[in-house]
Amino acid sequence: MTSGITATDLNRWQYRALEVLTGFVKGGLSAQRHPLNWRITSNGSLLGEVDRYASGLTTDDRRAIFDEWCRVVGAGAPRESKTYAGDTELRSVFQWPTNRGDVEGSLILVI
């Protein structure tokens, strides 16, 4: 790799994100918070998306889930954009501090 970032670095960043995600899931379970569809990127970022196909959830329900998670992780104001399919995507970014550096992430809602 020419950037100076090694596979070990990437794996450590993913592991750090996994530890943060474990805390989010445990906290969500305790608070009976609706779960998100989570992904960890190769550079250790977290992506949490409100499930657009969850049965029984209205658009208002999904928006409330998104807003609650934004509050929980201290995410910034959402940015709105149009997707290729014509849907509206809300994306809010956050940073979660750890003793080994911040984990960055995004929360996503497509309506």
Side-chain angles (χ1 to χ4, degrees):
M1 297 182 132
T2 59
S3 66
I5 297 172
T6 66
T8 301
D9 293 329
L10 295 170
N11 283 299
R12 283 185 181 141
W13 296 340
Q14 281 191 325
Y15 189 74
R16 181 180 62 199
L18 179 61
E19 290 174 330
V20 170
L21 179 54
T22 299
F24 288 171
V25 172
K26 284 181 179 179
L29 181 61
S30 295
Q32 298 182 350
R33 188 174 303 114
H34 199 280
L36 300 179
N37 294 331
W38 288 101
R39 291 175 282 172
I40 299 174
T41 66
S42 62
N43 69 351
S45 294
L46 288 173
L47 299 174
E49 185 169 3
V50 179
D51 189 348
R52 71 174 85 179
Y53 303 111
S55 62
L57 292 180
T58 66
T59 300
D60 288 342
D61 293 336
R62 294 175 62 246
R63 178 61 194 247
I65 291 166
F66 177 79
D67 290 342
E68 181 177 13
W69 274 103
C70 286
R71 181 186 53 75
V72 167
V73 302
R79 185 177 43 114
E80 185 175 310
S81 61
K82 288 290 185 187
T83 68
Y84 178 75
D87 297 320
T88 299
E89 179 183 278
L90 299 176
R91 182 177 293 253
S92 186
V93 298
F94 66 91
Q95 287 188 319
W96 195 264
T98 74
N99 61 355
R100 294 174 302 174
D102 292 349
V103 171
E104 296 180 351
S106 295
L107 301 177
I108 303 164
L109 171 64
V110 177
I111 48 179

